[in-house]
Amino acid sequence: NISAVANNCVNGCNPNAYVNSSDPNTIEYDNIVSTFHSTIIKESDGTFKTWGEGTAPNGTSNLLVPTAITSVNGFNYTGTPLRATGGSNGMTGKQYALLTTDGLYIWGTTNTLISSSIKNTTAFGKITVNGKADGLPAGVLPGQVKMMFGSLQTLAITTCSGEAWVLSFNGSKNGDGTAESAGNDVIWHRVKTSAAGNPTLDNVVAMRGTKSALFALTSEGKLYTWGTATYVSDGTAATNRTYATEVTVPAGVTPKMIGMAYNNSYYLLATNGRIYSMGYNSTNKLLGDGTFTDRTTWVQPQKITDQYGQGTGPLENIAWISPGEHDYFGGRAINVLTNDHKLWAWGLNDTYMLGGTINNAAYDPIYMPGISATTNGLKVTDEIIAVETGGHTTMNIKKGENKFGYVGHYVNGSAGNGSNVDAIVSTYTYNTSIVMVCAAEVGPAVQDLTICNGTTADLNNANLAATPSEVEWHATNDANSSVIANITAVPPGTYYAFIQWHQVNKEQWGLQLR
């Protein structure tokens, strides 16, 4: 279900994400989007599901288990879903967006993601912006949207061809020199640069941000920022910028991913696995450098404490970053994954959302936080393949576990396990629900093969897994049956791929040769 890349867009389930992410131009940031006590996911088959606080179609009720965003469940739309996101301000409100091939739909607390001048009701419904019935910028069709990013009072779109558009009513982040006054909050703005003549910002492949500023990466590896209290890594204090202004990239670095959190803490992941941070650091230790000092140039988060023999020095070998970007109030933290599937986290442990041992404490980087001796907990030996930082919550996906991990504030269905209880989970629990997040599947990734009569096939060609040596093949759907000794020459038939994690349990997927 993956088509060829065209203009940096990938249709269907994009595998370039999480621990297997590589190409900066096509990385999918948003197969999991967590706001305050709520989450939206995209599954491998293209289905979008949501659960938690205010996620029901009426925009006020809670969904207690992952629920497909479909008309059958009260989400009445036309077209095929393409993108989803959300933005929140803690308990004050949360609002969500779904983009289909027919247009943009919004639900949730008004005046949270988009201005109430566009939509002043909570129920799921389609919006029109500046007279355009699909709610998108002039000249942009739904299928041309590469990335749709949401944060408090912020909706930003990156197109397949590299245009950057903003719909905002806070932070002076329109990016075209205009202020967010009445009238400007109900139209899309094409971002322009601060260069002479203010040309448009082009070749954008990713755009992230906060309620007060935005941050962009281009296909040439350049960085830009604009909005209120922004930093450009030139040693000067935070400054308001109404046009996209180039940010200095650390020497020798090729950007892979970007992100932001809270009051403009910036993050840059390099293709060599090093992570850099800059900007706001006061009270929350969001920069991970062992201080509470705001930084006007890039610094490297540090392994401050020698936990489990990790030593000290800058964090390296990082594959994925997930700052608390969608929620303003409760997302003052960041989680990152290494290439060997381990978790680091730092920032504010608000309601234990990082899995730190002290509630509401500011933490330097912690290695494998939230571990537990319980049967359904996280072990230091476990491998994590995806992570998402939300508001008061973090969720992850563990290799070999088909239910997602959850830590933090457990309320209004936020853990997706059918419970409406209000409690705190201080270590990761996997007593949640089964999800099959795109690019974070827990079973072996396989594809059907087509061969001619009288010929044989190599099952290695059916295996899409990053670690094919972990997969074993069987002729029957029985993990205890004989393993096929020679998988390089099998006749037509149905074969089953099994994968074993830590000698505990096996998961299987079947395919056919025809």
Side-chain angles (χ1 to χ4, degrees):
N1 60 340
I2 301 169
S3 72
V5 175
N7 294 324
N8 293 322
C9 274
V10 178
N11 296 325
C13 178
N14 183 353
N16 187 19
Y18 306 118
V19 293
N20 293 321
S21 59
S22 56
D23 183 356
N25 293 340
T26 60
I27 285 178
E28 177 55 67
Y29 287 64
D30 295 317
N31 287 333
I32 308 173
V33 174
S34 286
T35 61
F36 192 74
H37 300 158
S38 59
T39 298
I40 300 174
I41 64 170
K42 180 180 181 179
E43 293 201 312
S44 302
D45 64 358
T47 300
F48 286 87
K49 290 183 177 179
T50 188
W51 67 92
E53 199 165 279
T55 52
N58 62 11
T60 56
S61 301
N62 310 319
L63 295 174
L64 306 185
V65 295
T67 302
I69 303 177
T70 60
S71 296
V72 171
N73 292 322
F75 297 93
N76 296 313
Y77 57 82
T78 55
T80 302
L82 299 172
R83 308 281 175 191
T85 192
S88 56
N89 188 26
M91 294 175 286
T92 303
K94 58 281 305 171
Q95 196 172 32
Y96 316 99
L98 176 73
L99 176 65
T100 78
T101 51
D102 190 48
L104 191 55
Y105 294 79
I106 304 291
W107 76 107
T109 312
T110 60
N111 223 43
T112 304
L113 181 67
I114 64 169
S115 170
S116 58
S117 297
I118 298 174
K119 190 175 187 295
N120 61 6
T121 58
T122 61
F124 184 90
K126 193 176 181 184
I127 64 169
T128 296
V129 176
N130 201 27
K132 196 162 183 280
D134 62 10
L136 295 178
V140 177
L141 300 175
Q144 296 171 330
V145 175
K146 176 184 187 291
M147 179 179 290
M148 184 170 71
F149 170 76
S151 191
L152 177 61
Q153 301 168 346
T154 309
L155 189 61
I157 281 176
T158 304
T159 69
C160 298
S161 59
E163 299 174 3
W165 293 87
V166 178
L167 184 63
S168 170
F169 57 107
N170 184 76
S172 296
K173 56 184 182 292
N174 292 335
D176 60 0
T178 63
E180 280 153 346
S181 55
N184 276 328
D185 60 344
V186 295
I187 60 175
W188 286 97
H189 296 263
R190 176 76 185 272
V191 179
K192 300 178 180 180
T193 76
S194 59
N198 301 121
T200 55
L201 177 60
D202 299 323
N203 303 316
V204 177
V205 296
M207 186 166 37
R208 317 304 286 179
T210 67
K211 74 165 188 175
S212 54
L214 287 165
F215 190 24
L217 169 65
T218 73
S219 57
E220 302 95 343
K222 293 183 177 181
L223 305 174
Y224 291 85
T225 191
W226 62 99
T228 302
T230 58
Y231 297 82
V232 294
S233 192
D234 63 354
T236 62
T239 303
N240 299 341
R241 295 176 171 89
T242 57
Y243 291 100
T245 303
E246 191 167 354
V247 178
T248 300
V249 177
V253 164
T254 299
K256 175 185 173 181
M257 288 184 73
I258 60 171
M260 292 185 73
Y262 195 49
N263 281 339
N264 300 351
S265 303
Y266 292 77
Y267 303 98
L268 168 62
L269 175 61
T271 54
N272 63 6
R274 295 178 180 175
I275 182 172
Y276 299 83
S277 56
M278 174 181 66
Y280 176 81
N281 201 31
S282 303
T283 71
N284 300 319
K285 290 194 170 183
L286 273 164
L287 301 188
D289 65 344
T291 77
F292 287 102
T293 304
D294 295 349
R295 300 295 188 179
T296 58
T297 58
W298 293 111
V299 296
Q300 288 187 261
Q302 301 288 312
K303 294 179 283 188
I304 306 296
T305 304
D306 184 5
Q307 295 170 299
Y308 305 106
Q310 296 306 301
T312 57
L315 288 182
E316 296 181 329
N317 195 34
I318 304 301
W320 182 262
I321 63 173
S322 177
E325 56 197 352
H326 301 291
D327 177 64
Y328 177 70
F329 175 79
R332 290 168 277 181
I334 179 172
N335 287 266
V336 305
L337 293 178
T338 66
N339 285 301
D340 54 355
H341 306 176
K342 298 301 181 181
L343 177 67
W344 288 88
W346 64 93
L348 189 66
N349 192 37
D350 197 349
T351 62
Y352 290 98
M353 66 174 288
L354 294 178
T357 57
I358 304 174
N359 185 28
N360 210 38
Y363 275 88
D364 296 316
I366 319 168
Y367 178 75
M368 293 296 284
I371 63 171
S372 170
T374 63
T375 302
N376 289 299
L378 179 67
K379 310 296 186 294
V380 71
T381 54
D382 286 334
E383 299 180 41
I384 302 173
I385 58 176
V387 68
E388 170 72 2
T389 307
H392 279 184
T393 67
T394 298
M395 66 172 286
N396 68 36
I397 297 177
K398 182 171 63 172
K399 200 173 184 181
E401 172 60 65
N402 59 10
K403 294 183 179 182
F404 65 88
Y406 184 90
V407 71
H409 195 182
Y410 183 111
V411 65
N412 293 331
S414 59
N417 62 355
S419 174
N420 206 31
V421 69
D422 186 347
I424 300 294
V425 182
S426 60
T427 58
Y428 276 99
T429 176
Y430 293 83
N431 289 319
T432 56
S433 292
I434 294 174
V435 293
M436 291 297 294
V437 174
C438 169
E441 297 89 347
V442 296
V446 296
Q447 63 181 349
D448 287 352
L449 298 177
T450 301
I451 60 176
C452 297
N453 287 333
T455 63
T456 61
D458 185 349
L459 290 179
N460 286 313
N461 296 326
N463 189 355
L464 302 177
T467 52
S469 62
E470 295 178 334
V471 174
E472 59 185 37
W473 292 90
H474 297 247
T476 63
N477 188 11
D478 180 1
N480 296 313
S481 64
S482 298
V483 177
I484 299 174
N486 179 15
I487 64 171
T488 63
V490 297
T494 299
Y495 301 87
Y496 297 87
F498 288 78
I499 194 161
Q500 185 164 321
W501 310 124
H502 305 305
Q503 306 298 316
V504 176
N505 66 318
K506 292 183 179 181
E507 301 285 345
Q508 64 82 20
W509 260 248
L511 75 149
Q512 291 183 332
L513 298 181
R514 59 181 185 273

